[in-house]
Every structure is written in C-alpha cells, then in structure tokens.
Amino acid sequence: MDLRSLGIRASQGLDPSKLQLLTCECSYYHYLCDGEDDRGWGCGYRSLQSLCSWVQNVKKTGTAATSSQVFPTPSTTETPIPSLSTAQSSSSVPSLHEIQEALVSMGDKPPSFVGSREWIGSFEVCIVLDHLYGVACKIIHVSSGTDVVHHIPTLIEHFKIIGSPVMIGGDADAASKTLVGVLADSLAENTKFLIAVSKCYIGAFCNFMQVINCTEHFMN
C-alpha cells in the first residue's frame, strides 16, 4: 500500500490548495506486514521503513526538487557515506533485523540488541537514515502537544520543499505515527494532520487528526 495514495484517498473532497502531501510514493509498513510479529514494539521500525522507502523512491525517480535537497552533492573534504549492504542498496527496504544490526555497527546499541524486541524512537530513526543513505534529519522537540500549532508553518514548508513522511512519537502516546500531509486551515488550531498509523494496526489506515486534539504531553 502506498502512503501517498492513502493520503489522497483520505483527502478527497477537500480544498487541494490547502493540502500539502508527500511528493513521492512510498510503501506503508505496519505490524506483521512482512511476517515479523512486532506487535507492541515495532512501530518505530515501521515508520523508519516507510521513510527508507521514500528515500529510495526519490533516489530512483529524482522526484521534483527533492532529490537535490535530500541528497546534496558532497564536497571532497566530507566523510564518505558508509557503503550499503546488498539488501540496503537494492530496491528492498532494510528489515527489522538489518535496522538493529545497523544500530549495533554504529556503536549506538550493544550486540545483544540484535534479535531483541526493544523499540526505537526518533533519534535512532535519524541516525539510521544518515548511516544508510547519508540523509540528514531534524528532530523538533515539542514540550507539549498543544504547542504543535506553533510548528505548523515548519511542517507546511517541509512538505512543500522536501515532501518526505514525518515520524511522530511521544511519551503518553508512545506509538510511532507517520505524518503524510497537512491540511492547513486559516485558523491554526483547526489545522489537521493527515496521519497513517502503525500503532497496534494490521492493515492500511489513514485519517485526519486535528491539531487542537493533540496530547498535552511532549512529542518529537
């Protein structure tokens, strides 16, 4: 299932001039989608896999202006991007096991992490994308979900210029979600996020979450 198609389907009948969506297709990864039983711990991995799928499709198609934004030409003085394994450099997305191996190879996790059911968050997602693809990420820490409204312009700009999915996680609602678009209302508190949820879900789901209903706890 393609995340962008899910977003388009969920936003039918809405004003397209107010809607910002993914710029490139990417696959929707969720619990059990590859036969791996990751219920209760794999949502962060699944968000990362969807992001990897988007990166690979942008590299393959050179979609719009995003390719040069996501993959800037390195200078001769920069450290070379780490070589990808056969699986990671092909059209396949890294498995849960390969993601764990990448984190161990970077020194972020101990060897015992491979094969475990330990979850990962925004930080691990960022360093794996950088390690595998040389893609730099940005984490925006929101101390309270009610403050999300102040970051709406940043998110709108992100979808206009970069257009990748955005991972969202927090403390009270720790399950990772994947933001695939923003419906910008003239009143910021009425702005809606178009979210595909991997949280305890088996199958394809995409719906709107109103910004005003965001949790009061912190989010990344």
Side-chain angles (χ1 to χ4, degrees), residues 23-25 54-64 66-67 71:
T23 56
C24 185
E25 294 181 355
W54 182 89
V55 169
Q56 290 181 346
N57 283 338
V58 168
K59 292 183 75 170
K60 186 187 305 180
T61 63
T63 304
T66 57
S67 186
F71 310 107

Side-chain angles (χ1 to χ4, degrees), residues 33 57 71 106 123 129 146 158 163 189 204:
C33 66
N57 283 338
F71 310 107
M106 284 183 278
F123 175 75
L129 285 170
T146 54
H158 166 81
E189 65 270 18

Side-chain angles (χ1 to χ4, degrees), residues 22-215:
L22 303 181
T23 56
C24 185
E25 294 181 355
C26 69
S27 298
Y28 177 29
Y29 288 82
H30 52 79
Y31 289 163
L32 294 171
C33 66
D34 53 6
E36 178 79 23
D37 188 354
D38 58 324
R39 288 172 292 184
W41 60 274
C43 54
Y45 295 86
R46 298 309 187 181
S47 288
L48 172 55
Q49 287 179 317
S50 289
L51 280 162
C52 290
S53 171
W54 182 89
V55 169
Q56 290 181 346
N57 283 338
V58 168
K59 292 183 75 170
K60 186 187 305 180
T61 63
T63 304
T66 57
S67 186
S68 60
Q69 293 281 349
V70 178
F71 310 107
T73 303
S75 70
T76 55
T77 58
E78 288 180 344
T79 303
I81 295 171
S83 298
L84 306 183
S85 70
T86 301
Q88 292 153 355
S89 60
S90 70
S91 58
S92 64
V93 165
S95 66
L96 306 189
H97 187 84
E98 288 171 329
I99 291 170
Q100 291 180 334
E101 286 182 329
L103 287 164
V104 171
S105 71
M106 284 183 278
D108 182 70
K109 304 293 183 188
S112 59
F113 182 69
V114 177
S116 72
R117 294 194 168 194
E118 293 185 40
W119 56 267
I120 61 172
S122 301
F123 175 75
E124 288 89 349
V125 167
C126 285
I127 62 175
V128 169
L129 285 170
D130 184 44
H131 176 73
L132 297 183
Y133 305 106
V135 173
C137 300
K138 180 179 181 179
I139 295 178
I140 297 178
H141 179 74
V142 183
S143 58
S144 171
T146 54
D147 291 334
V148 168
V149 64
H150 303 304
H151 297 280
I152 290 169
T154 301
L155 288 168
I156 292 173
E157 190 71 5
H158 166 81
F159 281 108
K160 283 182 178 178
I161 297 175
I162 303 297
S164 72
V166 175
M167 174 184 173
I168 298 179
D171 62 342
D173 185 5
S176 169
K177 300 174 180 62
T178 306
L179 181 64
V180 300
V182 178
L183 180 69
D185 193 277
S186 56
L187 297 176
E189 65 270 18
N190 291 329
T191 297
K192 297 177 181 179
F193 293 157
L194 190 55
I195 292 183
V197 185
S198 5
K199 165 188 177 183
C200 301
Y201 198 79
I202 305 169
F205 173 82
C206 192
N207 206 348
F208 284 103
M209 180 179 78
Q210 201 156 353
V211 171
I212 199 170
N213 292 330
C214 286
T215 173

